[in-house]
Amino acid sequence: MSVTLNLHLPDDIGAQLAADGRDLERAALEAFAVEEYRAKRITHAQVAQLLGLSRWAVDGLLKEHQVWLDYTIEDFQREREALRQVREQSPSSDRR
């Protein structure tokens, strides 16, 4: 299923916003996706899917809009532990 949204702007406001050549449809879609991510209603992957962007491009877009990744101390500790386990399993000759 696909949903189509229509946004109606008065002609003068639409012209003003598009005066710099900006694609208003794209700008509205990006703003919508960013706000839904900020409100935790969609995931990072869903932002990428919605906008047709790579993971790294989504990170850049979120940064432009000052939306920071939800990365907790628990996430950091979990990743640190996983790294420690990987390092313990690798041969000592590979460690530096």
Side-chain angles (χ1 to χ4, degrees):
M1 179 176 99
S2 173
V3 175
T4 301
L5 302 174
N6 293 306
L7 180 64
H8 298 279
L9 300 173
D11 290 338
D12 59 329
I13 295 173
Q16 177 184 342
L17 294 173
D20 62 357
R22 183 168 52 149
D23 179 351
L24 294 183
E25 286 184 39
R26 180 64 184 197
L29 183 59
E30 287 180 359
F32 177 73
V34 166
E35 187 53 36
E36 293 306 299
Y37 177 81
R38 184 189 323 261
K40 299 183 187 317
R41 287 187 285 261
I42 63 174
T43 66
H44 188 281
Q46 288 172 318
V47 173
Q49 178 186 3
L50 183 60
L51 300 176
L53 297 175
S54 71
R55 172 185 176 162
W56 311 116
V58 170
D59 287 348
L61 177 70
L62 294 174
K63 183 178 178 183
E64 286 175 23
H65 291 272
Q66 297 184 350
V67 178
W68 314 116
L69 298 177
D70 189 15
Y71 191 78
T72 66
I73 189 69
E74 291 81 12
D75 294 329
F76 172 77
Q77 290 170 340
R78 187 173 43 255
E79 289 184 8
R80 183 179 64 183
E81 178 60 21
L83 178 59
R84 184 189 63 74
Q85 290 175 9
V86 167
R87 292 187 78 191
E88 285 179 356
Q89 293 172 2
S90 63
S92 60
S93 61
D94 290 345
R95 290 187 190 174
R96 293 186 188 202

